[in-house]
Amino acid sequence: MKQTLHFTARIVIVSLLFIVLFSYAMFQGGFVSWFLFYSFLPFLIYMIALTFYPIDKWDVSRKLSKRLATAGETVKVHVTIDRGFPFPLYYCVIEEYFPNSLMKKDLHFEKYRHMDEKGYLDEARQMKKISFPWFNRHISYDYELEKLPRGEHQFRALRVKTGDFFGFIKKEYVFKLDNYLLVFPYERPVQLKERAYSFEQGASPSFKLNEKNTNIVSGVREYVPGDRFSWIDWKTTAKSNQMMTKEFEQEKSVDMMIILNAVHEESATPLSFEGAVEFTASLQEELHTKSSQVAFMSLGDGRRYFPFRHDQKHRDMIRHHLAEIKPIGKTPFAQQLERERAQLPAGMVVLIVSHHLDAQMLDSLTRLAQKSKRVVFFYVKPHEHLDFKQHKLVKQLNNKGIVVNVISEEELTKREFEVNT
């Protein structure tokens, strides 16, 4: 309906121009009036042709240099327009429709220097490109999306506008182009000052995460790249005529659970939640690298649980979830944590990352600590927002045997995290 009205309006404008000029030449007469009429006639014919020229038949495409990126990176975008008939166009304006999720920027750890400022990361992204194609059938241009924010970004449309020399006739069309971009949270190394691992027998802590117990040989197997030279079983190698290595009884890691608070809190700043997500992603990657049995759960608008698995697909699923997660839950985190406490097996090490702390959470964490082997609480909060009440809650958690790490601007602006477990 809207396009029909625009088309009708353009026809009316061109018709009025023709009638006015023709009437002027007829009634005025003389060389000058007819000269003006015939001089402007080619422009009128061009306007009529442009009115009926179908720009919606153009072949428009958008290509991203990559579909998966990390927060703060730059992605290049290439847009091409191909049109079959070389109709002369004076100008062509191409405008992108960016999703709301891209109206922010990410500065890696530098953004946390303004952690207590709301709206600091807002970015009014806009992309307009003008070209003068004339008879060219192929139009292309490139631009860059810099400082990409974490999230799932859907590109839906691209608008093309053109018109005549004088601006009487304007045409535009919105092309539906679907492109998908997933931006993972920025990850950093995590230095764990104390790690909760144990051997298969006994409960003594073990700080050698990747080494094997070389005292007990459980068997032999074929050599694979990465095995140590000292593990080679030379006798079996000589008998079987192929390289064989010894197998040892491996250390068994304690089952660990990471729980992320994804509930929306009015008092929390957006960067507090971003810091919680980035730290969770970094901690998850660190524990997976150390061959730990790690499960992950987020509690917010819904419950998302990823069980104990140690394969790349499982890690990718967690990273994808952390890339798209938003603080939109309404049920208090303490209430959800209390509901999950009854389902968690006893003897686990529970690592909780949260951007909020109150008295209800104190009670829930205390009851959780009575069931778990250890509870470690990572509290992401700007230093200016840590008042006397917050310090009192942190002290009470420490007194109840819960390890508390307060992660503020000082920790978030470093190139690696250093925390106690």
Side-chain angles (χ1 to χ4, degrees):
M1 182 64 182
K2 187 177 180 180
Q3 293 181 353
T4 304
L5 291 176
H6 287 171
F7 179 78
T8 305
R10 288 192 292 266
I11 293 295
V12 171
I13 291 174
V14 173
S15 301
L16 287 175
L17 286 173
F18 180 81
I19 293 172
V20 169
L21 289 173
F22 183 74
S23 300
Y24 174 76
M26 286 291 295
F27 291 101
Q28 182 70 21
F31 173 79
V32 175
S33 59
W34 283 106
F35 177 80
L36 291 176
F37 173 76
Y38 285 114
S39 297
F40 199 75
L41 190 59
F43 296 100
L44 287 174
I45 296 174
Y46 177 78
M47 291 179 190
I48 295 173
L50 181 61
T51 301
F52 289 94
Y53 179 64
I55 66 173
D56 57 314
K57 303 298 182 181
W58 291 359
D59 184 14
V60 181
S61 64
R62 182 202 299 115
K63 293 183 180 179
L64 307 181
S65 59
K66 51 186 175 181
R67 295 178 56 204
L68 303 177
T70 303
E73 287 187 349
T74 299
V75 170
K76 297 180 179 180
V77 183
H78 180 68
V79 177
T80 59
I81 299 176
D82 292 300
R83 53 199 188 104
F85 182 73
F87 184 85
L89 292 177
Y90 174 58
Y91 71 92
C92 183
V93 178
I94 303 102
E95 182 181 1
E96 280 279 10
Y97 281 99
F98 289 124
N100 292 331
S101 58
L102 274 177
M103 296 304 173
K104 292 185 178 298
K105 60 183 177 181
D106 193 288
L107 305 174
H108 287 168
F109 49 82
E110 290 295 328
K111 62 179 176 287
Y112 296 111
R113 299 189 186 278
H114 305 271
M115 191 174 176
D116 57 340
E117 298 181 18
K118 292 186 177 180
Y120 173 70
L121 295 181
D122 292 346
E123 179 83 352
R125 296 184 189 270
Q126 190 177 19
M127 204 297 302
K128 283 186 178 181
K129 193 79 172 182
I130 184 170
S131 63
F132 303 94
W134 291 103
F135 291 94
N136 291 332
R137 295 184 180 183
H138 181 77
I139 306 171
S140 65
Y141 70 94
D142 299 277
Y143 69 93
E144 293 183 347
L145 290 171
E146 300 178 340
K147 303 173 184 175
L148 287 171
R150 176 189 65 84
E152 192 176 26
H153 312 298
Q154 296 278 357
F155 295 80
R156 297 295 188 186
L158 183 144
R159 182 167 64 177
V160 177
K161 296 189 294 184
T162 188
D164 67 319
F165 302 94
F166 304 103
F168 291 112
I169 303 300
K170 295 181 180 180
K171 299 191 69 174
E172 69 174 60
Y173 188 78
V174 177
F175 292 89
K176 304 299 181 182
L177 301 177
D178 290 328
N179 290 90
Y180 176 80
L181 177 62
L182 183 65
V183 182
F184 297 113
Y186 178 63
E187 297 178 2
R188 284 173 267 174
V190 180
Q191 296 293 332
L192 304 176
K193 293 185 179 179
E194 181 181 358
R195 299 179 175 89
Y197 291 80
S198 66
F199 290 103
E200 191 169 357
Q201 294 181 352
S204 59
S206 169
F207 298 92
K208 300 179 180 180
L209 305 180
N210 297 321
E211 294 184 3
K212 297 184 177 183
N213 189 345
T214 57
N215 296 325
I216 304 175
V217 179
S218 60
V220 294
R221 58 171 172 80
E222 293 184 8
Y223 174 85
V224 295
D227 289 343
R228 296 184 180 179
F229 184 77
S230 59
W231 294 350
I232 298 177
D233 190 328
W234 294 107
K235 291 183 178 180
T236 308
T237 298
K239 292 179 181 179
S240 60
N241 202 22
Q242 60 180 348
M243 194 73 71
M244 305 292 290
T245 59
K246 301 174 184 177
E247 279 192 311
F248 304 94
E249 291 187 359
Q250 298 186 14
E251 298 173 1
K252 181 182 178 182
S253 55
V254 174
D255 289 343
M256 308 180 78
M257 169 77 77
I258 300 177
I259 302 178
L260 173 63
N261 179 5
V263 176
H264 175 70
E265 301 291 346
E266 292 291 341
S267 60
T269 62
L271 276 174
S272 296
F273 182 74
E274 286 300 314
V277 173
E278 286 189 9
F279 177 75
T280 301
S282 302
L283 180 63
Q284 184 80 25
E285 186 66 22
E286 179 71 18
L287 295 177
H288 271 294
T289 303
K290 302 303 182 182
S291 302
S292 305
Q293 293 292 332
V294 184
F296 174 73
M297 180 189 299
S298 65
L299 300 176
D301 190 36
R303 175 184 182 272
R304 289 296 304 274
Y305 174 70
F306 300 88
F308 299 96
R309 290 174 58 186
H310 199 274
D311 56 79
Q312 188 61 41
K313 183 178 180 181
H314 181 248
R315 296 167 68 177
D316 292 341
M317 290 173 61
I318 296 177
R319 292 186 68 206
H320 187 284
H321 176 63
L322 290 175
E324 63 182 5
I325 192 171
K326 297 178 181 179
I328 55 178
K330 296 182 179 180
T331 305
F333 178 73
Q335 182 178 335
Q336 297 189 51
L337 185 62
E338 188 67 22
R339 183 174 62 244
E340 296 297 331
R341 180 178 64 87
Q343 303 178 16
L344 293 177
M348 293 181 61
V349 174
V350 183
L351 311 173
I352 298 177
V353 185
S354 176
H355 58 295
H356 178 72
L357 177 62
D358 55 17
Q360 289 182 338
M361 288 184 60
L362 173 65
D363 296 336
S364 297
L365 292 172
T366 302
R367 287 189 286 269
L368 181 63
Q370 296 172 356
K371 183 178 181 180
S372 306
K373 182 175 182 179
R374 184 184 303 180
V375 173
V376 184
F377 183 66
F378 301 98
Y379 187 30
V380 183
K381 195 77 171 179
H383 181 74
E384 295 294 330
H385 293 193
L386 293 171
D387 53 14
F388 174 77
K389 181 180 179 180
Q390 297 288 304
H391 284 289
K392 183 179 179 181
L393 291 173
V394 170
K395 186 176 181 180
Q396 290 177 331
L397 288 174
N398 283 319
N399 293 336
K400 295 180 181 297
I402 298 173
V403 181
V404 181
N405 293 270
V406 178
I407 303 176
S408 58
E409 295 93 334
E410 183 178 355
E411 291 75 24
L412 289 168
T413 52
K414 294 180 180 178
R415 295 189 177 274
E416 65 178 26
F417 294 106
E418 294 183 6
V419 294
N420 297 317
T421 58

